[in-house]
Amino acid sequence: MLNDFIQTIPKAELHLHIEGTLEPELMFELAQRNGVKLNYKSMEEIRKAYNFSNLQDFLDVYYAGASVLQKEEDFYDLTWAYLEKARSQNVLHTEIMFDPQTHTHRGVDFSTVIEGIHAAMKDAEKRLGISSVLILSFLRHLNEENAFEILHIALPYKQWIMAVGLDSSEVGNPPSKFKNVFQEAKELGFKLTAHAGEEGPPEYVWEALDLLNVERIDHGNRSLEDKRLTLKIAKQKIPLTVCPLSNLQLKVVKDLKEHPLKKMISKGLFVTVNSDDPAYFGGYINENFLQISNALNLTKEDIFLLAQNSFRASFLDEDRKNELLKKTEEFNPN
Ligand code: HPA
Ligand code: ZN
């Protein structure tokens, strides 16, 4: 019963890396199409490699997988496949992160990447009725100068990009490293978000808020270790884009039963549920909702709140937010 409720309730996805939606089948197909040699001989080997002990372990596999993406049509096919899947799970709006430096650093032009992704987003809006926006994410293991370079390369496409974000290896790469580039992005009119408190300490969440001036925190789990921080993000209604299956697969939590989502809800935090890198972590948004609901005994009220939060925490304008929120009303359990 909860299964149907989760499947049918309209929702938005706010934490999704397009490179993390590359399913093994498409990876093989693109490797063949582009003559790229993969380290895997079979699906079996791929699935075995998807056994991660931490974030870095995953990132190594994820960046290697992305090497099959070479041409505009590859980025189109990848994005189209995700949007179709998301729409089939009643995602009506999605905010897609992409990691341009992963591609420009191996000789693929920024224009190739964004034109392919954007074309699929436009087609999906028309043909599937799913809206989407793009978040350009800086790779934090690279330096701030590299981040400035990619921001400047992106400027001719500014009207296609809603926000900038920060991802990749967290520990040792604090938000403060990117203070200046986030300042410039803000002045240019981009909305701002950053991964923080996934593996990194609460101090990184403080920095993301106070130094980068982000409006949202991606993950944010470790915020709960700091009472003052927890109170601040509750009071200021800072959205946290939580990703349960990612947290499980990257050993941020040992078991979904120990996941902090329920605690976050009870402390009044503005939380949402998302899939992060669904092709690598064993599920899209509804699998995330379903498994975390089962593990924590979430109620229809919780799921309704999470779905409404997903629209409220989006970067959409108020009119579109209200239009989508209205579509959730018939699911109000009260
Ligand atoms: N954390 C940091 N960087 C990432 C992630 C993540 O979960 N997924 C893709 N890049
Ligand atoms: Zn992420």
Side-chain angles (χ1 to χ4, degrees):
M1 210 176 61
L2 207 54
N3 200 340
D4 279 354
F5 190 73
I6 286 169
Q7 168 59 34
T8 49
I9 192 168
K11 55 191 87 69
E13 175 143 73
L14 306 181
H15 185 159
L16 180 283
H17 304 264
I18 199 63
E19 294 87 352
T21 68
L22 179 59
E23 291 288 347
E25 290 76 10
L26 185 59
M27 192 190 291
F28 267 109
E29 192 184 319
L30 296 182
Q32 210 160 37
R33 199 154 97 185
N34 294 324
V36 174
K37 213 173 137 10
L38 283 174
N39 285 330
Y40 318 105
K41 287 193 205 66
S42 64
M43 290 305 160
E44 274 277 87
E45 271 189 32
I46 292 204
R47 304 224 183 262
K48 254 193 227 143
Y50 291 6
N51 197 341
F52 313 112
S53 24
N54 54 37
L55 173 59
Q56 191 58 52
D57 225 24
F58 154 70
L59 290 169
D60 294 341
V61 170
Y62 161 88
Y63 295 130
S67 68
V68 303
L69 298 161
Q70 306 254 338
K71 305 202 172 74
E72 190 177 317
E73 68 195 83
D74 305 338
F75 289 93
Y76 182 98
D77 292 349
L78 175 73
T79 307
W80 178 261
Y82 162 65
L83 288 164
E84 252 191 335
K85 181 76 183 179
R87 187 63 189 84
S88 79
Q89 297 199 338
N90 281 310
V91 173
L92 301 187
H93 174 71
T94 177
E95 311 208 328
I96 300 177
M97 283 185 250
F98 73 124
D99 289 339
Q101 290 158 299
T102 297
H103 313 298
T104 54
H105 273 237
R106 55 188 178 85
V108 176
D109 283 347
F110 182 84
S111 59
T112 303
V113 178
I114 197 164
E115 302 233 7
I117 295 173
H118 180 79
M121 289 164 62
K122 283 285 127 199
D123 283 353
E125 183 140 25
K126 252 191 286 171
R127 292 169 51 195
L128 306 173
I130 178 171
S131 62
S132 53
V133 301
L134 267 182
I135 302 171
L136 185 163
S137 283
F138 302 122
L139 297 182
R140 70 201 304 158
H141 66 274
L142 302 177
N143 60 35
E144 190 178 41
E145 200 180 308
N146 293 149
F148 268 115
E149 277 163 20
I150 204 71
L151 180 64
H152 296 153
I153 287 172
L155 284 185
Y157 293 95
K158 187 165 175 285
Q159 73 280 11
W160 290 358
I161 302 167
M162 172 70 82
V164 304
L166 185 65
D167 64 8
S168 190
S169 321
E170 187 181 8
V171 174
N173 297 298
S176 51
K177 187 175 159 186
F178 297 93
K179 186 174 185 290
N180 300 305
V181 74
F182 268 69
Q183 169 81 31
E184 176 163 328
K186 189 180 166 79
E187 284 162 10
L188 285 164
F190 292 104
K191 294 189 178 286
L192 310 176
T193 184
H195 284 54
E198 180 185 19
E199 285 187 346
E203 288 71 35
Y204 284 22
V205 179
W206 280 109
E207 284 190 10
L209 295 170
D210 292 347
L211 301 180
L212 304 188
N213 294 301
V214 300
E215 292 170 56
R216 275 196 326 230
I217 295 286
D218 295 313
H219 295 297
N221 298 34
R222 291 194 59 192
S223 306
L224 293 175
E225 294 169 25
D226 180 333
K227 258 197 196 137
R228 205 161 59 86
L229 178 61
T230 306
L231 284 174
K232 175 189 167 84
I233 59 186
K235 199 161 156 217
Q236 297 188 352
K237 298 187 167 58
I238 307 288
L240 304 182
T241 62
V242 176
C243 306
L245 290 176
S246 166
N247 295 156
L248 180 67
Q249 295 302 327
L250 301 187
K251 314 290 190 283
V252 168
V253 295
K254 277 205 219 63
D255 192 297
L256 280 185
K257 287 193 177 359
E258 292 169 23
H259 194 281
L261 183 70
K262 186 109 182 163
K263 199 182 290 166
M264 289 166 154
I265 294 174
S266 70
K267 288 184 184 293
L269 300 186
F270 190 1
V271 284
T272 63
V273 166
N274 309 272
S275 70
D276 206 5
D277 300 283
Y280 292 91
F281 299 149
Y284 287 77
I285 195 165
N286 286 355
E287 287 78 27
N288 273 272
F289 265 99
L290 195 61
Q291 291 191 40
I292 197 66
S293 297
N294 288 338
L296 302 179
N297 294 315
L298 297 188
T299 61
K300 277 190 177 177
E301 282 78 6
D302 292 326
I303 289 156
F304 180 67
L305 172 78
L306 291 163
Q308 287 218 314
N309 281 355
S310 72
F311 294 117
R312 291 203 184 99
S314 74
F315 289 138
L316 290 168
D317 62 43
E318 290 304 310
D319 283 353
R320 175 82 175 138
K321 266 188 204 181
N322 288 331
E323 182 189 324
L324 292 171
L325 274 169
K326 226 186 246 160
K327 293 184 196 278
T328 65
E329 267 313 323
E330 66 176 285
F331 292 83
N332 191 341
N334 296 308

